[in-house]
Amino acid sequence: MKRRNFLAASGAGLAAAAVAAPAVAQSSPEIKWRLTSSFPKSLDTIYGGAETIAKQVAELTDNKFQIQAFAAGEIVPGLQALDAVSNNTVEMCHTCSYYYVGKDPTFAIGTAVPFGLNARQQNAWLFQGGGNELFNEFYRKFNIYAMPAGNTGAQMGGWFRKEIKTVADLQGLKMRIAGITGQVLSKLGVVPQQVAGGDIYPALEKGTIDAAEWVGPYDDEKLGFNKVAPFYYYPGWWEGGPTVHAMVNIEKWNSLPKAYQAALTNACTTANTVMAAKYDLQNPAALRRLVAAGTQLRPFSQEVMEACFTAANQLYGEIGARNADFKKIIEAMQATRSEQYLWWQVAEFTYDAFMIRARARAGR
């Protein structure tokens, strides 16, 4: 009797295992995706964000979920990455939202807007202040689900073939500039040009453009801009803390097992942190090398900064009056900015200002 009970129980257990095994297998399927980047491989820091995502997703899923990263132009042109994901030509991309302002100016806020948030403030808003939820509500109109997956920190103001001392010096200047910053500068006479990263050097060299901004010393040195434009301006007031996004086709995102969604989310968060850390570590040494090689470092004048600030606020009002999505998100960002700077002036700025003075006194 005991033997029969044991056999029956064993049979039931085997049957249950047979049913459960396929369920487990189905919960961890083998999936292969393609990720197209908007950046060339030569820029290991910003393109490297895509590789960080792919590597960590594979490690977190025992190689069951594999993402192959492609540089700009390998399978999709750099500035068409979002379109390829929206149309489901590829499953995901690694890009800057502000490249797509031609579709809707709201895309600009996803990366950075003039006189917006710095990197830490941007992360606070996106991860904890409801910013990412606002953006995904907007991105859904384009079949996109997005996650922060990189930040360069405050950028430089770009390379110029001539000095910019006054607002009058901006008249007729042809400048490679992304996002709605081009619209801000056009109010001051600049002729904005949108040029992919890999095409900036030849455009500057040939004189097709008079100035260009990209990221900062580490990447700019790699691209050799100092060889074709001697004046290097700061700060990049249009990119205080620009976010690079991982964008996923929303149907593909929804079809992922929850564990894979978590793996991809965590990988993007890691990429976001690692990219910022790399830039902060590598930019100082690169700036020293550029100056030693003859680069002439220049701050934007107070006149230029004030004129740009005024023009930016005028533009936000104009766009917001005709675009409800833009108005909703820019006002949320501005509310966050007000709170953040109230706090930063109490602690962060005071500390930083002291350390700058102390370092100068100590000569190091």
Side-chain angles (χ1 to χ4, degrees), residues 87-311:
N87 298 331
N88 202 19
T89 302
V90 296
E91 291 82 6
M92 67 180 295
C93 66
H94 190 237
T95 189
C96 289
S97 180
Y98 66 9
Y99 290 154
Y100 310 101
V101 292
K103 300 177 184 299
D104 189 307
T106 310
F107 276 105
I109 316 171
T111 300
V113 291
F115 306 101
L117 304 173
N118 68 26
R120 280 178 54 189
Q121 293 165 353
Q122 184 88 338
N123 283 337
W125 180 42
L126 293 176
F127 286 102
Q128 296 294 318
N132 210 46
E133 288 77 10
L134 283 174
F135 282 117
N136 275 318
E137 181 183 337
F138 168 71
Y139 292 142
R140 194 177 299 119
K141 298 178 181 181
F142 299 87
N143 301 319
I144 295 291
Y145 178 81
M147 293 163 281
N151 198 301
T152 68
Q155 296 191 2
M156 291 292 285
W159 298 86
F160 293 74
R161 294 163 64 93
K162 66 174 186 178
E163 285 191 87
I164 304 298
K165 296 180 179 179
T166 68
V167 174
D169 294 328
L170 296 172
Q171 288 292 325
L173 188 85
K174 293 177 291 184
M175 182 177 182
R176 184 272 178 194
I177 190 79
I180 64 172
T181 308
Q183 297 177 47
V184 172
L185 286 171
S186 67
K187 286 179 172 288
L188 304 176
V190 172
V191 182
Q193 310 285 316
Q194 183 145 302
V195 181
D199 299 326
I200 297 173
Y201 183 95
L204 268 175
E205 184 180 35
K206 295 173 184 175
T208 306
I209 56 176
D210 305 307
E213 60 80 38
W214 179 239
V215 176
Y218 182 71
D219 282 350
D220 293 0
E221 180 188 35
K222 279 179 170 291
L223 294 176
F225 298 148
N226 59 307
K227 299 174 184 176
V228 288
F231 301 103
Y232 199 20
Y233 276 83
Y234 65 91
W237 43 265
W238 49 87
E239 294 187 82
T243 296
V244 183
H245 274 91
M247 296 185 173
V248 183
N249 178 275
I250 198 162
E251 292 180 9
K252 292 294 184 179
W253 170 258
N254 289 335
S255 70
L256 284 177
K258 293 296 183 183
Y260 287 9
Q261 288 183 347
L264 183 51
T265 299
N266 287 333
C268 290
T269 302
T270 297
N272 193 62
T273 302
V274 169
M275 186 185 295
K278 284 183 176 179
Y279 275 117
D280 283 345
L281 185 67
Q282 293 166 337
N283 275 330
L287 185 59
R288 287 181 181 277
R289 290 191 298 268
L290 288 167
V291 172
T295 291
Q296 299 185 51
L297 206 57
R298 298 283 190 275
F300 285 122
S301 68
Q302 189 69 19
E303 176 192 337
V304 169
M305 293 289 286
E306 292 288 352
C308 292
F309 183 76
T310 298

Side-chain angles (χ1 to χ4, degrees), residues 69-80:
F70 293 89
E74 288 186 336
I75 56 174
V76 175
L79 299 182
Q80 295 177 24

